[in-house]
Amino acid sequence: MPEAPVEITMTINGVPRTIRTPPDRRLLDLLRDDLGLTGTKEGCGCGECGACTVLVDGALVNACLLLAAQADGASITTVEGLGTPESPSVVQAAFVAETASQCGYSTPGMVVAVTKLLEDHPEASRDEARRHLSGNLCRCTGYRQILNAVERARSGHVTFPAGADGVGRSAWRVDALDKVTGRTRYAADLPWPEGLLHGVTVRSTEVHARLVEVRTGRALAMPGVVRVLTSKDIPGETHFGNATPDQPVLVVDHIRFYGEAIAVVLAESLEAARDGAAAVEVVTEPLPPVTSPEAALADGAPLLHPDGNLAVHHRLSRGDARAAMARADVVVERTYRTPAQEHVCLEPEVAVAYPDGAGGVTVKAPSQNVFFDRHHIARALGLSKNRVRMIQTPTGAAFGGREDVYAHTHAALGAVLTGRPTRIVWTREESQVATTKRHPAVMQYKAGLSSNGKILAMEIRVLADTGAYQSWAPNIGRKMLVHATGPYDVENVSTDIRMAYTNNGISGAFRGFGATQVLFAAECFADELATAAGLSPVAFRRLNHLAIGRTTATGQKITGSCGLAECMDRAVAEAERMASLRPPPPPGTVRGRGLSTIYYGIGYGNAIPDIGSAIVELLPEGMFQVRCGAVEYGQGLLTVFTQIAAEVLGVGRGHIRVMTGDSAETPDSGSTVASRQTYVSGEAVRRAAERLRTELLEFAAQHWQRRLDRLTFTSDGLAAGGDILCSLEAFHRICVEKGVRTRRQARFKASSTRLDLETGQGNAYWPYAFAAHVAGVEVDTRTGNVRVISIVAAHDVGKAINPAMVEGQIAGGAAQGLGFALFENHRFDNGVPLTRNLDTYRIPGFTDMPDVVPILVEEPEPTGPFGAKGVGEPVLVALPPAIANAVAAATGKRFRELPILPEDVRRALCGRPGNAGSATEEG
Amino acid sequence: MARSLAEIRFYTPKTLEEALAIRAAERSDAMPMAGGTDVMVWRRAAPDEGPAAYLSLWGLRELKQITKRQSCIEIGATATFAQLARSPLLRENFPALVEAARHVGAAQIQNRATIGGNVVNGSPAGDSLPVLAVAPAMVVLTSKGRGTRRVPFGAFYTGYRQTVLEDDELLVSFELPLPPPGTWSGFEKVGSRRAQTISKVMAALQARLDGDTLHGVALAYGSVAPTVIRLPRTEALLEGCSPSERLADDVSGTLNQEIAPIDDLRSTAAYRRFAAVGLLRRLLRRCAAAQGRAAA
Ligand SMILES: Cc1cc2nc3c(=O)[nH]c(=O)nc-3n(C[C@H](O)[C@H](O)[C@H](O)COP(=O)(O)OP(=O)(O)OC[C@H]3O[C@@H](n4cnc5c(N)ncnc54)[C@H](O)[C@@H]3O)c2cc1C
Ligand code: FES
Ligand code: FES
């Protein structure tokens, strides 16, 4: 029998309230679910991320660790109590002005913490601020712009730059005011509709097993439980997958990883659904787990899938690597390893599905591609695509982690089968065990050099762990294949990429998409080759780099927009300048700097239709609307589209409205992946806007009998020279009267060719982004601790449509790269995941990140909008090898496996740790 | 079977007396909850295994005080680490405890995490534990039926996360004997990130400086054994020596015999052994510097 709720009184955002609540309700749930104050977020539920930060009697507190009953009598301030979009607080305004919010999910908690910091320590330095704010994690920004916002807010006044909306300006983000005030509604924040069902997933607690039976009787008998979904309930296809449908929507008969979804319990309340989930009995017969790709490919290994455990095998050959290797003066061989990395989007997986009453369904959820999601959902439901509408909700980051559908299909299934809206919100632990990770990889590199240091030949063998299913494995393998040599012109190359099925979770897309792993290896290898050749890292690279006229490993000639040399020169020069200003290292520490240079293919590549599509329309209310199926998830797409449209049409941002990510209302513009959307969809927006402007002005020239070249649109209306001919509303009316269409659609297709299956030759991608990073590290020789003290990141972005947002991408990507290099590692014990929340899976916090110094190199790409390419992924890719090279420079020891942990550094530095031999250390 | 969360009872007594009465009646059915920073994490990890009731101690003002008594400082069990970090009394007499308090999590955690919870939780990685071990603190326990008893900190733990606390008792305070003049104390920790991180190893040292030699040395380590431990043989070696980094290396052999770290998710045994020496080196260097300042 449920206990009677207790009555508590609290002052919330200045308003006294008496509330009856179950005694064990968390303050977080009370605020969000009972009072509708959804500005406060849940990221981890265990005190690690700070997304739930509120003020309780003036003190910062994690609302996820506090029972409401324990706050009886307290005064509570949430982000909503600090300001509104109409009247933001100084801190909120400073976050907007400094582009300090990207996906925005960490932002409300961050705003509360910064507000308190400035109250208590108004004079805090940047480093002090880092310490004070260390209870708040952000996965997007790399913290730099947040610290800028702290400094800006301290000054007391903040104004937004007016009129700085065009291309090339750091216009403030169009979604920022809602994000900093907690107004933005992510999927878990949506109001609960009448009749809502809550879904809780029953997951495998075995690594590898045959599923014999799912007994649902006891669960169904529990109060509040309405239905239990199992694979038998799936009306359509039981399996799905990005590359190939090898993954069950719910396990059919074969459990392939710990945490795999077996059933979903739907109930009237979350508590009832949880209780029901605990009562579902899963009967299994264990199978031997396969826990490494080596074991998976060994003779006699248990098969995970009928066609064997080799999921992907790609090969590339250019020239004759074996013969060239035999001719080489120096041959070097090394092996590198990288771990599984989790995206840690601060917003865990969530979906809300609404039945349309006629057998169809609308799903609202975070997404990277509403059309893919719709495809997967419709297939499982056995519905035609037009019966499923997928609407992207503001998305708490993605990074590749939302290229696979999870809760979407389950919620949709629940809604269709019960006729009731269904909501599924995953916990951080579920997200950690059941979503894709970056493929762990072992990479064997061999190169032959001429006596002067030119690379004559490379042989590369990669073995990666794709886990239980393919997800995007073939495409990721291809990206590895194309980028494996690094940004070098090598005439003789032989590359072999294999990816094997195992029972270690699932691997999939993650910012960098396979290039992250091989470019880590290639750029560490480049430094090792430089040493072998007796050259400096810079000289070695200069000798071998790609440049206009040179050729990639796939035989593609670089014909334009190649800022590689400039990136390297500027990054190295800036890093040298900064190092010369730094005081000498403290005793017991050594310092070093490391360089990496990378190239990165933008877009899908491999002739996969890579099409951007956009509609631009003049609306009756005198606004221009841009519609595009791409999605915003923090990178700033809404703002980029606004700026491009504003630039082309000549009006201010107030006259542009952007709609994205709705499968029913926006044209399919492909996935928001591969750093492609600014380039591909941005160009489609530019073309559509250009076409609309030209054609409407041509009509206006005729109608008003004016010279075409005198006519422009302005925020005030249609203008001829200095005169306003009519308002935009009036112009729309006239167009309609005269039968002139006010809407144009345009498409843009990126060009790449299909790689030859045997040789891997072809124009793999276009364009390529280039980058050079220099990392500076300080290594404590006693603890082995590596601190990154400087990051200079030079990126050839073609053209920065919004420099502040590009800088935000750079700092944020760098933070993920730093985590990958130094501590992130999703670990398993015989297939059982060990790192299930942020207490054990560590991501970089404020104190881990130096201020990244971004350098924007603008080598215009003729086919991109205003010359723009992409930047989202290259940043993450470039940093890890720079850090590893810096550690090598500082310590004289080469670490070929990530993450580089203090334990490993220490062991390498002193032979046997823990014995008194360390007594000889000085300092 | 899962216990429905809705069935859980929640007590919010306003006085210690009330709390002790509930404790006596409910025994192990009601779990005491101070700041809840540990309890809420367990509750999340294993909702089915939680207790039938919670007994909130947060509202008990009488357990929140930090007071100077004749020969000791008394710290209430529900004093938060934020309170400890700000306390002038502690800064003056037990700076090591202030340092440890500042190392517990981030601001949000320090505002809720209590010293009593840290101690009863008994994780070998609890940051306050080594400091309480070197002070050495007296742990004050009270029950309704049997009144108050004082247990020396060194006798409080009986094994990994096992304590002498009975199921009708509450921890009400710690008594830290006022250190003699000239006493130095310090705390050091190695974690996996620069802030907001559970310790891989941590250590506290307290000693009186007589001229340039150490006396009454107390040295304790956390995360190197199933419970926090004092290192009596290493302490004996340090006794009468003058503090320096070199001294740490000289005693490292004995130190390593006295600790028994393991491999776990956070670090390795080998690294912990190594880092343990490093922490002593840092402590002795800081102690020497303090002594130099005092002499000047
Ligand atoms: C994100 C995060 C970071 C953390 N970082 C650190 C860190 O760096 N260092 C560190 O040491 N700890 C850390 N912790 C652990 C935790 O904050 C501490 O152990 C804290 O001191 C516990 O105090 P509490 O009041 O919250 O305890 P509670 O969770 O309320 O209780 C803990 C245990 O003590 C019992 N208890 C509490 N008070 C009493 C009493 N007066 N009498 C009898 N029993 C009692 C409870 O029944 C329970 O068993 C962290 C925790 C989180 C969530
Ligand atoms: S949700 Fe509370 S700290 Fe992460
Ligand atoms: S903006 Fe901080 S997590 Fe996305």
Side-chain angles (χ1 to χ4, degrees):
Chain A
M1 219 21 249
E3 271 310 290
V6 292
E7 190 170 278
I8 55 176
T9 55
M10 294 196 257
T11 304
I12 300 179
N13 295 331
V15 183
R17 311 182 77 140
T18 303
I19 301 157
R20 295 182 68 76
T21 180
D24 63 330
R25 201 147 174 75
R26 300 183 304 172
L27 178 65
L28 181 60
D29 302 318
L30 180 95
L31 292 171
R32 290 176 48 79
D33 300 342
D34 301 348
L35 303 177
L37 292 169
T38 52
T40 307
K41 307 295 179 206
E42 175 159 7
C44 69
C46 71
E48 294 286 342
C49 75
C52 63
T53 301
V54 297
L55 290 166
V56 176
D57 290 331
L60 293 179
V61 166
N62 294 317
C64 69
L65 292 185
L66 185 58
L67 293 179
Q70 276 199 309
D72 190 14
S75 167
I76 314 251
T77 307
T78 69
V79 68
E80 290 94 342
L82 298 175
T84 60
E86 299 70 36
S87 166
S89 72
V90 170
V91 169
Q92 288 167 329
F95 268 63
V96 175
E98 293 293 342
T99 320
S101 169
Q102 291 186 22
C103 83
Y105 204 78
S106 65
T107 307
M110 201 67 87
V111 164
V112 173
V114 169
T115 302
K116 178 69 178 160
L117 164 72
L118 289 174
E119 260 170 50
D120 291 355
H121 309 278
E123 301 304 323
S125 67
R126 270 179 103 86
D127 274 341
E128 285 162 353
R130 285 188 164 93
R131 249 189 322 105
H132 286 296
L133 297 172
S134 65
N136 292 76
L137 296 173
C138 174
R139 192 57 157 166
C140 298
T141 62
Y143 305 104
R144 173 176 174 266
Q145 285 162 320
I146 297 175
L147 292 165
N148 292 349
V150 172
E151 287 175 349
R152 168 87 73 123
R154 185 174 12 230
S155 71
H157 336 251
V158 179
T159 49
F160 300 147
D165 300 336
V167 165
R169 309 293 296 269
S170 290
W172 51 281
R173 299 175 56 114
V174 298
D175 50 359
L177 269 172
D178 282 349
K179 285 180 171 169
V180 302
T181 53
R183 188 72 62 96
T184 304
R185 288 206 181 239
Y186 300 80
D189 306 338
L190 294 170
W192 294 4
E194 193 71 21
L196 181 68
L197 289 179
H198 298 261
V200 168
T201 312
V202 177
R203 296 184 180 282
S204 157
T205 53
E206 261 158 305
V207 171
H208 196 193
R210 198 139 296 290
L211 178 62
V212 178
E213 193 189 347
V214 183
R215 296 191 187 136
T216 59
R218 276 182 52 217
L220 283 167
M222 296 190 55
V225 172
V226 171
R227 184 151 184 164
V228 181
L229 306 174
T230 67
S231 66
K232 296 201 178 71
D233 296 302
I234 299 169
E237 299 289 338
T238 53
H239 286 70
F240 73 104
N242 293 321
T244 184
D246 61 354
Q247 182 170 0
V249 173
L250 291 166
V251 174
V252 177
D253 54 6
H254 191 165
I255 293 169
R256 295 191 184 82
F257 71 94
Y258 183 104
E260 187 160 18
I262 294 172
V264 178
V265 175
L266 304 177
E268 304 287 350
S269 72
L270 187 56
E271 291 74 18
R274 279 193 195 135
D275 290 348
V280 171
E281 294 158 272
V282 178
V283 184
T284 60
E285 275 166 19
L287 294 169
V290 178
T291 58
S292 74
E294 291 84 358
L297 299 183
D299 287 340
L303 291 190
L304 271 87
H305 292 273
D307 293 341
N309 290 341
L310 183 63
V312 173
H313 192 182
H314 290 326
R315 273 157 298 207
L316 175 151
S317 87
R318 177 176 186 225
D320 184 343
R322 184 170 312 166
M325 199 71 77
R327 285 200 310 274
D329 295 304
V330 186
V331 173
V332 182
E333 268 188 270
R334 297 284 187 267
T335 300
Y336 303 89
R337 290 186 162 80
T338 56
Q341 185 182 24
E342 159 60 26
H343 311 80
V344 191
C345 300
L346 221 53
E347 177 196 28
E349 286 60 30
V350 44
V352 192
Y354 305 77
D356 66 6
V361 64
T362 296
V363 179
K364 295 187 180 176
S367 172
Q368 272 185 272
N369 182 337
V370 290
F371 301 94
F372 275 180
D373 295 349
R374 179 183 63 174
H375 165 78
H376 291 306
I377 297 166
R379 255 182 105 253
L381 266 47
L383 292 175
S384 67
K385 278 194 296 200
N386 55 19
R387 308 279 300 282
V388 176
R389 179 174 180 187
M390 172 68 206
I391 300 177
Q392 185 223 6
T393 44
T395 296
F399 313 128
R402 302 205 199 266
E403 289 186 46
D404 297 75
V405 297
Y406 300 104
H408 308 60
T409 316
H410 300 161
L413 197 57
V416 168
L417 294 183
T418 63
R420 294 172 61 174
T422 301
R423 173 182 195 258
I424 299 178
V425 183
W426 286 14
T427 62
R428 172 61 52 197
E429 288 83 354
E430 291 183 278
S431 176
Q432 196 74 21
V433 302
T435 66
T436 59
K437 307 285 173 278
R438 186 186 301 292
H439 287 75
V442 180
M443 298 161 283
Q444 294 170 290
Y445 273 65
K446 182 174 176 184
L449 304 178
S450 70
S451 57
N452 66 1
K454 184 90 186 80
I455 309 172
L456 301 176
M458 279 179 105
E459 287 174 7
I460 300 165
R461 296 177 65 79
V462 176
L463 179 58
D465 184 347
T466 194
Y469 301 105
Q470 286 201 8
S471 178
W472 283 117
N475 307 52
I476 292 168
R478 205 175 303 112
K479 197 136 199 168
M480 288 182 165
L481 193 72
V482 171
H483 292 82
T485 58
Y488 303 105
D489 183 350
V490 187
E491 270 175 40
N492 304 286
V493 186
S494 159
T495 306
D496 181 282
I497 311 273
R498 288 175 308 150
M499 304 171 105
Y501 286 122
T502 70
N503 296 114
N504 294 333
I506 333 170
S507 304
F510 190 161
R511 207 171 186 178
F513 208 67
T516 313
Q517 294 94 319
V518 292
L519 284 168
F520 166 71
E523 279 304 279
C524 289
F525 195 50
D527 263 31
E528 299 205 63
L529 292 178
T531 306
L535 293 173
S536 75
V538 171
F540 175 81
R541 285 176 173 81
R542 217 185 291 292
L543 183 66
N544 288 291
H545 261 164
L546 290 171
I548 290 178
R550 289 198 170 176
T551 310
T552 70
T554 69
Q556 182 174 10
K557 198 172 223 155
I558 301 289
T559 53
S561 184
C562 178
L564 187 57
E566 187 180 348
C567 283
M568 180 166 81
D569 292 344
R570 287 180 61 185
V572 167
E574 175 60 18
E576 254 161 36
R577 190 192 67 79
M578 285 166 56
S580 70
L581 299 177
R582 202 176 276 282
T589 66
V590 288
R591 285 194 191 141
R593 268 176 285 146
L595 168 69
S596 83
T597 58
I598 63 140
Y599 77 137
Y600 191 85
I602 301 294
Y604 298 148
N606 194 41
I608 297 168
D610 196 346
I611 296 167
S613 182
I615 296 169
V616 179
E617 178 173 7
L618 176 62
L619 301 177
E621 57 267 41
M623 311 268 266
F624 289 97
Q625 184 183 51
V626 175
R627 281 190 279 159
C628 176
V631 302
E632 164 79 50
Y633 49 71
Q635 82 285 40
L637 209 65
L638 295 174
T639 311
V640 164
F641 289 173
T642 303
Q643 287 182 272
I644 291 175
E647 175 83 21
V648 173
L649 295 164
V651 299
R653 65 193 289 158
H655 284 77
I656 308 283
R657 228 188 256 162
V658 180
M659 180 197 250
T660 55
D662 180 336
S663 69
E665 295 286 335
T666 60
D668 188 352
S669 203
S671 283
T672 305
V673 301
S675 311
R676 64 183 280 278
Q677 284 298 11
T678 291
Y679 174 65
V680 178
S681 295
E683 176 63 11
V685 170
R686 192 193 66 77
R687 289 182 181 189
E690 187 65 59
R691 202 168 294 165
L692 182 70
R693 190 188 71 103
T694 311
E695 292 179 21
L696 290 184
L697 290 182
E698 275 167 5
F699 159 71
Q702 237 176 28
H703 184 80
W704 274 276
Q705 290 296 304
R706 301 289 178 119
R707 269 179 48 196
L708 178 61
D709 61 5
R710 301 270 297 148
L711 292 178
T712 52
F713 290 118
T714 71
S715 296
D716 299 325
L718 176 67
D723 306 335
I724 300 296
L725 299 179
C726 70
S727 71
L728 292 174
E729 288 101 308
F731 182 60
H732 180 270
R733 224 166 22 245
I734 294 165
C735 289
V736 173
E737 279 162 18
K738 301 284 171 195
V740 175
R741 289 192 312 138
T742 58
R743 172 204 290 201
R744 289 295 179 280
Q745 179 159 5
R747 282 151 60 94
F748 170 66
K749 187 166 175 302
S751 57
S752 62
T753 58
R754 183 173 294 282
L755 297 185
D756 182 286
L757 280 180
E758 282 304 308
T759 63
Q761 297 296 293
N763 291 343
Y765 293 92
W766 192 257
Y768 288 93
F770 297 90
H773 281 200
V774 179
V777 301
E778 192 170 283
V779 180
D780 186 321
T781 54
R782 293 168 178 164
T783 61
N785 210 45
V786 176
R787 189 156 77 88
V788 178
I789 55 175
S790 62
I791 298 170
V792 178
H795 284 264
D796 169 20
V797 298
K799 164 85 187 169
I801 306 263
N802 182 319
M805 291 197 319
V806 172
E807 291 180 12
Q809 286 291 302
I810 291 177
Q816 291 175 358
L818 183 145
F820 187 56
L822 295 182
F823 37 80
E824 290 186 41
N825 184 3
H826 181 58
R827 283 176 284 173
F828 294 91
D829 176 15
N830 216 14
V832 178
L834 299 176
T835 38
R836 298 198 203 167
N837 204 325
L838 302 183
D839 50 353
T840 44
Y841 189 88
R842 291 259 165 212
I843 63 169
F846 268 99
T847 54
D848 299 302
M849 281 302 292
D851 281 316
V852 176
V853 177
I855 296 174
L856 303 186
V857 172
E858 299 187 320
E859 222 11 86
E861 164 50 42
T863 59
F866 305 96
K869 309 197 267 200
V871 71
E873 295 170 285
V875 233
L876 186 154
V877 174
L879 189 59
I883 290 176
N885 288 338
V887 174
T891 62
K893 305 281 178 191
R894 172 60 60 179
F895 297 89
R896 300 189 182 89
E897 178 167 359
L898 296 183
I900 302 172
L901 298 172
E903 282 79 359
D904 303 326
V905 176
R906 180 56 225 172
R907 195 173 326 114
L909 286 183
C910 82
R912 283 188 302 142
N915 69 22
S918 52
T920 52
E921 241 177 79
E922 289 303 319
Chain B
M1 197 185 112
R3 183 177 341 259
S4 169
L5 293 177
E7 290 164 16
I8 291 169
R9 279 165 291 131
F10 195 80
Y11 295 105
T12 47
K14 294 283 178 276
T15 65
L16 178 58
E17 205 186 323
E18 239 183 281
L20 289 171
I22 298 165
R23 181 83 166 136
E26 289 272 359
R27 299 277 167 154
S28 52
D29 284 349
M31 178 182 275
M33 178 155 168
T37 59
D38 283 321
V39 171
M40 292 294 282
V41 173
W42 304 332
R43 175 184 177 270
R44 177 180 179 84
D48 311 357
E49 292 155 29
Y54 290 104
L55 168 57
S56 174
L57 309 177
W58 187 257
L60 306 179
R61 273 179 215 289
E62 54 214 290
L63 296 193
K64 275 216 175 317
Q65 315 301 325
I66 303 173
T67 324
K68 187 166 180 175
R69 305 266 179 235
Q70 194 131 52
S71 59
C72 70
I73 306 269
E74 185 183 293
I75 304 173
T78 65
T80 63
F81 286 111
Q83 238 180 305
L84 266 50
R86 281 194 306 262
S87 160
L89 272 179
L90 292 179
R91 206 171 309 147
E92 192 188 322
N93 296 289
F94 295 99
L97 192 51
V98 173
E99 289 166 16
R102 292 206 169 121
H103 275 97
V104 175
Q108 287 92 326
I109 296 296
Q110 288 172 18
N111 286 333
R112 290 296 298 185
T114 67
I115 184 166
N118 204 234
V119 167
V120 176
N121 173 30
S123 154
D127 281 323
S128 69
L129 277 46
V131 187
L132 294 170
V134 298
M138 197 59 92
V139 186
V140 184
L141 309 173
T142 301
S143 75
K144 185 179 173 207
R146 289 169 294 121
T148 295
R149 60 176 176 140
R150 289 183 160 68
V151 180
F153 189 79
F156 185 70
Y157 295 108
T158 55
Y160 177 70
R161 296 198 163 195
Q162 301 292 311
T163 75
V164 301
L165 186 80
E166 298 285 343
D167 63 7
D168 64 342
E169 282 179 319
L170 290 174
L171 198 169
V172 291
S173 65
F174 301 92
E175 294 171 354
L176 280 60
L178 282 173
T183 296
W184 185 87
S185 75
F187 170 86
E188 286 284 341
K189 125 176 189 178
V190 177
S192 61
R193 205 165 58 187
R194 289 220 297 144
Q196 165 98 338
T197 170
I198 304 280
S199 306
K200 290 180 178 180
V201 197
M202 71 286 202
L205 173 71
Q206 178 166 313
R208 190 163 38 82
L209 277 163
D210 195 352
D212 71 344
T213 55
L214 298 165
H215 296 277
V217 179
L219 176 66
Y221 274 85
S223 281
V224 296
T227 65
V228 62
I229 52 167
R230 286 274 296 263
L231 277 54
R233 289 170 47 214
T234 309
E235 289 171 359
L237 287 179
L238 296 173
E239 194 69 27
C241 296
S242 119
S244 71
E245 296 207 348
R246 181 53 55 95
L247 178 58
D249 298 326
D250 292 346
V251 302
S252 62
T254 306
L255 191 158
N256 264 305
Q257 288 166 11
E258 289 194 279
I259 62 179
I262 54 163
D263 287 349
D264 65 13
L265 259 186
R266 272 193 280 279
S267 191
T268 62
Y271 183 75
R272 289 189 159 109
R273 286 190 175 280
F274 169 75
V277 179
L279 291 184
L280 183 59
R281 225 186 257 133
R282 273 195 232 161
L283 286 165
L284 290 172
R285 180 181 56 201
R286 284 176 49 203
C287 180
Q291 180 252 333
R293 269 200 305 280

